[in-house]
DNA sequence: ATTCCCTCCTGTGTATGCGAATATCCCTCG
DNA sequence: CGAGGGATATTCGCATACACAGGAGGGAAT
């Protein structure tokens, strides 16, 4: 009967360790942009916020360092990872290559059930584009890519792909309504689905890479527009175009 | 005067944080196989071994959890990651794809200097094969692949590739002298270098994938030979063929 | 003899305390 | 008026202390 409390508090909050809950909370806040890049994370302050002591906070921060979401500054505490435009482009490119890799394997290995599920999912996105429902499209997009990861039937690769994707989510989150990127995104998804349906993994792979690189190119344009050719050495709060 | 003790312990031990040193030490021991998969890691015991308290040991272990090198067993402590044969094959396949990806980009982007360096490096490996010097070849092999990562001119991708490679090193380390795998490895390197020299990134990529998958296939054969078709649910101490 | 339960004990999870390193601020000197 | 240096204060890194969970072992009952 006490399980009702668990549901009431939140999704999966009290099940695990305190340090895990703090880590997950911080991950969400960084990915969502609530914690902007470069902002300092003081241990005592976080401990007060979460009603815990510094020990689990420290553990959570150390784990985030390994994940690459925060950086240590000597003995001056940790800050939300402050990435250079070059590094962001590197991450986008890596993400593009990883996604392309997954599409290729997924095309060759997905079961008919998985394929039909993916097709159905893709078709459902048309209504979101028509309604210009960016939130719904964002959620769909995440599921779409995760289905492809899963269809590789390689759980390790799926985890790696999801990790890279998670690290970029902070940049993808905001400013979805940038130009007509969503409609183009859907068109590109359509071309990818075409190749998958034909069982042409290499074509699907190339199209997925182009799909992701289109977002990166739009990002580059956006950065140049906003900061000029030689902008600030680091950014982290800028909205990015949707893939 | 007490600093003499610190210097006596190791080379670059006193620079960073204590938890980092412990983490690095444990990483090496896991990768080298000194700590076999499945063995429990008790905090107090490790603290005694490193002459520290449990706090930095705990932080090191939590970081290793994120890295995927160890697993938590509820409140019963952590153990060295115990991987199933399926997961190991997944990791090998992912590694193959990642390496292929890197070769492709590196071929298109490497500078003439990098190319000549890589060629020189590759040629130096011939003597090691002739002498059947597995240790030297192992060291060369690591450098060879890292040079390719670096030549992608994408630091994030290089880090990802190195991370995957590090996770597999525990399996690559032992049993290099398995059949004539080293000579075949060198031949495959040669074919890859040929494609790189011709600027044919796609061919180099395919050859690198095949190169890595050959090692995975040999691994599969080795596992089947040793444990039979339905072997134990997990392995971690078995020597693997060299890529 | 086997099984169930109780107790103890080992080990993790968290809190707190202390020393050290560094940033900050103010005072003094040029 | 600006710059440099020192004292203070804040915060990190590590150690120690305490609370609780889960298992091992023994004893008793069937």
């Amino acid at each position: 009967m006490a399980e009702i409390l668990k549901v009431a508090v939140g999704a999966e909050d009290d099940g695990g360790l305190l340090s895990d809950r703090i880590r997950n909370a911080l991950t969400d806040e960084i990915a969502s942009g609530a914690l902007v890049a470069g902002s300092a994370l003081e241990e005592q302050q976080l401990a007060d916020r979460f009603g815990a002591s510094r020990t689990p906070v420290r553990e959570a921060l150390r784990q985030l360092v390994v994940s690459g979401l925060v950086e240590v500054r000597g003995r001056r505490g940790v800050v939300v990872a402050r990435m250079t435009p070059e590094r962001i482009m590197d991450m986008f490119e890596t993400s593009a290559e990883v996604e392309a890799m997954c599409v290729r394997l997924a095309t060759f290995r997905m079961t008919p059930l998985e394929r039909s599920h993916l097709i159905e999912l893709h078709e459902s996105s048309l209504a979101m584009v028509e309604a210009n429902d960016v939130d719904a499209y964002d959620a769909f997009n995440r599921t779409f890519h995760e289905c492809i990861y899963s269809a590789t039937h390689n759980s390790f690769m799926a985890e790696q792909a999801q990790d890279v994707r998670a690290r970029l989510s902070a940049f993808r989150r905001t400013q979805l309504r940038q130009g007509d990127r969503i409609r183009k995104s859907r068109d590109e998804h359509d071309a990818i689905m075409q190749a998958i349906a034909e069982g042409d993994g290499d074509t699907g792979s190339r199209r997925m890479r182009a799909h992701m690189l289109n977002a990166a190119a739009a990002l580059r344009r956006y950065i140049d527009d906003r900061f000029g050719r030689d902008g600030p050495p680091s950014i982290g709060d800028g909205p990015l175009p949707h893939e």
Side-chain angles (χ1 to χ4, degrees), chain A residues 17-73:
Chain A
L17 278 49
L18 188 50
S19 56
D20 285 351
R21 294 194 317 218
I22 295 173
R23 176 175 51 78
N24 290 331
L26 289 178
T27 298
D28 285 346
E29 293 184 17
I30 293 173
S32 70
L35 286 173
V36 297
S39 53
L41 298 174
E42 292 182 18
E43 295 178 358
Q44 186 59 53
Q45 165 190 328
L46 291 173
D48 294 342
R49 250 188 61 197
F50 290 104
S53 78
R54 280 177 50 218
T55 305
V57 172
R58 270 187 69 81
E59 291 188 358
L61 289 177
R62 293 303 164 184
Q63 292 176 35
L64 292 177
V65 170
V66 177
S67 301
L69 276 83
V70 304
E71 297 171 349
V72 292
R73 280 184 314 171

Side-chain angles (χ1 to χ4, degrees), chain A residues 81-97:
Chain A
R82 207 181 187 87
M83 289 177 284
T84 65
E86 285 72 26
R87 186 163 182 83
I88 295 174
M89 295 309 294
D90 280 359
M91 291 174 68
F92 260 87
E93 181 177 72
T94 303
S95 181
E97 294 289 339

Side-chain angles (χ1 to χ4, degrees), chain A residues 1-11 14:
Chain A
M1 296 302 175
E3 281 76 8
I4 297 176
L5 288 178
K6 290 167 69 174
V7 180
V9 170
D14 71 348

Side-chain angles (χ1 to χ4, degrees), chain A residues 111-139:
Chain A
T111 66
L113 186 63
E114 287 170 335
R115 181 157 31 234
S116 85
H117 182 204
L118 192 63
I119 291 174
E120 186 182 358
L121 192 67
H122 169 61
E123 285 174 352
S124 75
S125 71
L126 187 56
M128 304 169 194
V129 176
E130 301 290 351
N132 206 33
D133 187 343
V134 284
D135 289 335
Y137 189 83
D138 189 49

